[in-house]
């Protein structure tokens, strides 16, 4: 059988020449290129949309980090410490770590509890994608910290003016007259072991003499209940001040809930009402939810207290932009000191006192509600369940007697 010459049409198809290409019209080739470009564009749009959704998700999820996990430490350091412990088989042994290493590991555990999906996700991503994810989480973390700083700047001025009636009154839009230059702010910021009413102390702090160095190594007076200090019992009233409770409520439940800080909190009711509102509206109307509801927070944690303490300290100061160091005062070291007070206790006696303090905090913020403690086992012993079982038993007995 003879082979047709190249370029000879057979049954309507022009066979390829020696190049192997089947001849096509200019219009057909243009259509092919357009279709390929459209497909490529659609793929790019889908990839961009997926990337944008991931970015939005990571940033939103990251808002919990500064509030509940770490205020300054990098997430990479937390991950590295957890990896080190796993490689050295030290996951369950805090005794062998340094205080800094143990603080990092507790931070990783807090991170894994706050972002339940993160630990597994880190194990699946390559290095580049993992770094990108952590960068986006950090963006959300810093944005939330900035929002809280801005909120408290106004609210702290309102609370101080209402409770103390200082002269001059604090301005919500200006921090220049706060800090040690303002008599009341100076008193609240003053290390508790010094007497702010002593003119020598006041002058020494304001002039920053070597005899009166204000650093993270002193508890400021504002962290104490009733803003009073007992030199013979340094732990009495520590972290129980009204302004801390107000700030915690403003950040985690709502600014309006901070108006009442003397009695038990109503945070549990706020969370429950948020849940019912979202369920009843079924997404038809956007319901503003509080931070505690978003992160499913039901109990106050040591690191959330440390976060609030640092935020209040910054709000009372004259510094206008967030920073790690303010003069001789190191905020990172201060945050570490607060966290260590709760987490690095010397023994069971101190642990008991810390547990009681955390219970006090949870009651102040969320009230005395304990719905989260109603386990199926506890509910099974209550009268509604017991009555249901009795009625069923009576029915069964009647059926058997017939």
């Amino acid at each position: 059988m003879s082979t047709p010459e190249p370029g000879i049409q057979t049954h309507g198809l022009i066979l390829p020449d020696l190049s192997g290409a089947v001849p096509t019209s200019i219009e057909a080739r243009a259509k092919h290129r357009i279709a390929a470009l459209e497909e490529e564009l659609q793929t790019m749009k889908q990839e961009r949309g997926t990337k944008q959704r991931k970015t939005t998700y990571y940033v939103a999820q990251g808002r919990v980090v500064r509030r509940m996990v770490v205020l300054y430490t990098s997430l990479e350091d937390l991950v590295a410490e957890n990896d080190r412990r796993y490689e050295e088989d030290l996951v369950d042994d805090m005794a062998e770590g340094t205080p800094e290493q143990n603080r990092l590991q507790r931070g990783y555990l807090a991170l894994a509890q706050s972002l339940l999906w993160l630990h597994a996700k880190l194990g699946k991503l390559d290095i580049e994608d993992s770094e990108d994810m952590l960068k986006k989480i950090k963006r959300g973390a810093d944005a939330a910290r900035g929002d809280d700083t801005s909120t408290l700047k106004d609210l702290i001025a309102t609370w101080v003016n209402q409770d103390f009636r200082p002269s001059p009154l604090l301005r919500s839009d200006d921090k220049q007259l706060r800090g040690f230059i303002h008599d009341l702010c100076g008193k609240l910021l003053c290390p508790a072991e010094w007497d702010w009413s002593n003119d020598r102390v006041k002058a020494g702090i304001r002039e920053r003499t070597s005899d009166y160095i204000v650093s993270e190594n002193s508890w400021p007076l504002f962290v104490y209940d009733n803003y009073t200090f007992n030199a013979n019992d340094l732990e009495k009233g520590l972290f129980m001040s009204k302004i801390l409770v107000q700030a915690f409520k403003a950040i985690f439940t709502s600014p309006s809930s901070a108006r009442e800080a003397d009695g038990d909190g109503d945070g549990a009711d706020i969370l429950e009402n948020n849940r019912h509102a979202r369920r009843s509206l079924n997404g038809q109307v956007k319901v503003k939810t509080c931070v505690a509801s978003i992160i499913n927070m039901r109990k106050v944690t040591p690191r959330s207290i440390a976060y609030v303490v640092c935020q209040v300290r910054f709000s009372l100061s004259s510094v206008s932009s967030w920073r790690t160091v303010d003069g001789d005062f190191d905020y990172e070291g201060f945050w570490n000191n607060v966290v260590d007070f709760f987490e690095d206790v010397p023994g069971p006696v101190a642990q008991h006192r810390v547990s009681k303090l955390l219970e006090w905090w949870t009651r102040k913020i969320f009230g005395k509600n304990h719905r989260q403690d109603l386990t199926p086992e506890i509910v099974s012993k209550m009268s509604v369940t017991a009555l249901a079982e009795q009625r069923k038993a009576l029915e069964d007995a009647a059926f058997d007697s017939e």
Side-chain angles (χ1 to χ4, degrees):
M1 184 174 67
S2 62
T3 302
E5 292 293 331
I8 302 299
Q9 185 173 2
T10 305
H11 300 298
L13 173 67
I14 299 178
L15 296 179
D17 57 19
L18 295 177
S19 68
V22 178
T24 58
S25 67
I26 295 176
E27 293 81 2
R29 293 196 298 275
K31 289 179 180 179
H32 296 162
R33 284 197 293 271
I34 291 172
L37 288 172
E38 287 178 343
E39 183 177 355
E40 183 179 352
L41 179 61
Q42 185 63 29
T43 301
M44 291 174 62
K45 286 182 177 179
Q46 291 175 349
E47 291 176 350
R48 188 183 302 116
T50 301
K51 185 176 181 180
Q52 183 58 45
R53 285 192 295 273
K54 286 183 178 179
T55 298
T56 301
Y57 178 77
Y58 293 148
V59 171
Q61 291 284 296
R63 292 181 68 84
V64 72
V65 170
R66 300 291 177 234
R67 293 161 168 164
M68 297 288 290
V69 183
V70 286
L71 184 52
Y72 291 99
T73 306
S74 72
L75 299 181
E76 289 81 359
D77 286 348
L78 301 185
V79 174
E81 175 59 21
N82 186 71
D83 289 346
R84 183 191 72 83
R85 285 173 179 263
Y86 185 80
E87 291 169 358
E88 297 179 14
D89 197 24
L90 298 174
V91 177
D92 296 322
D93 192 353
M94 290 288 184
E96 296 187 24
T98 66
E100 181 180 0
Q101 289 172 334
N102 291 341
R103 192 185 309 117
L104 287 171
Q105 182 60 17
R106 293 189 188 100
Y108 185 83
L109 295 176
L111 179 64
Q113 291 168 357
S114 299
L115 303 177
L116 297 176
W117 51 270
L118 182 63
H119 181 76
K121 192 75 172 177
L122 286 169
K124 297 177 182 179
L125 297 178
D126 58 31
I127 295 178
E128 184 177 347
D129 288 341
S130 177
E131 290 177 348
D132 183 62
M133 178 183 68
L134 294 178
K135 185 186 300 182
K136 290 166 182 173
I137 291 175
K138 180 180 180 296
R139 188 196 310 172
D142 292 338
R145 196 273 311 148
D147 291 343
D148 293 337
T149 301
S150 179
T151 297
L152 288 182
K153 175 185 175 181
D154 296 338
L155 290 177
I156 289 288
T158 300
W159 300 332
V160 168
N161 291 338
Q162 288 176 346
D163 290 349
F164 299 97
R165 301 292 179 184
S167 179
L169 294 174
L170 297 187
R171 290 177 53 183
S172 61
D173 61 343
D174 184 14
K175 292 191 67 184
Q176 295 302 313
L177 296 180
R178 300 186 193 185
F180 290 107
I181 194 173
H182 190 282
D183 195 59
L184 181 60
C185 289
K187 176 183 178 181
L188 295 174
L189 290 169
C190 181
E193 59 265 32
W194 299 334
D195 183 3
W196 178 254
S197 64
N198 185 315
D199 290 338
R200 182 180 178 183
V201 171
K202 191 178 301 185
I205 291 176
R206 285 175 171 171
E207 295 171 12
R208 297 184 61 182
T209 66
S210 59
D211 291 331
Y212 296 98
I213 302 174
V214 178
S215 75
E216 70 280 2
N217 299 300
S218 297
W219 298 124
L221 195 62
F222 77 81
V223 302
Y224 280 94
D225 186 25
N226 292 322
Y227 313 109
T228 57
F229 169 79
N230 185 343
N232 296 319
D233 187 357
L234 303 179
E235 196 170 335
K236 183 179 180 180
L238 186 63
F239 305 124
M240 298 178 70
S241 68
K242 179 180 179 180
I243 201 169
L244 289 183
V245 173
Q246 287 176 305
F248 199 105
K249 286 187 171 186
I251 292 173
F252 287 96
T253 52
S254 71
S256 60
S257 70
R259 296 169 188 162
E260 179 55 55
D262 294 329
D264 292 334
D266 59 354
D269 293 337
I270 293 174
L271 267 59
E272 192 66 14
N273 290 332
N274 281 168
R275 186 175 65 84
H276 281 291
R278 291 197 304 272
R279 179 187 298 172
S280 61
L281 292 171
N282 196 25
Q284 298 176 8
V285 179
K286 186 176 181 179
V287 178
K288 186 175 182 180
T289 54
C290 66
V291 171
S293 179
I294 294 171
I295 65 178
N296 198 31
M297 182 185 196
R298 294 296 183 272
K299 294 183 179 181
V300 176
T301 64
R303 290 171 184 246
S304 61
I305 294 175
Y307 173 76
V308 171
V309 171
C310 288
Q311 284 280 10
V312 172
R313 206 277 175 187
F314 177 80
S315 294
L316 289 169
S317 76
S318 60
V319 177
S320 57
S321 59
W322 187 266
R323 61 184 65 175
T324 305
V325 177
D326 174 11
D328 297 309
F329 189 92
D330 187 320
Y331 276 95
E332 183 173 8
F334 187 52
W335 185 90
N336 289 342
N337 289 339
V338 178
V339 169
D340 288 349
F341 169 83
F342 287 96
E343 296 183 350
D344 190 16
V345 295
V349 176
Q351 181 61 63
H352 177 73
R353 292 197 303 273
V354 163
S355 298
K356 298 300 290 185
L357 178 57
L358 289 173
E359 289 176 9
W360 179 89
W361 263 101
T362 297
R363 189 173 70 251
K364 294 294 288 186
I365 304 303
F366 296 107
K368 296 180 180 179
N369 295 19
H370 299 286
R371 287 196 62 84
Q372 71 276 8
D373 298 322
L374 286 175
T375 63
E377 181 181 1
I378 293 175
V379 172
S380 69
K381 299 176 182 177
M382 293 181 168
S383 57
V384 171
T385 305
L387 174 57
E389 292 177 352
Q390 288 176 6
R391 297 177 74 186
K392 185 177 183 301
L394 292 172
E395 290 295 324
D396 292 343
F399 178 81
D400 293 339
S401 64
E402 292 179 356

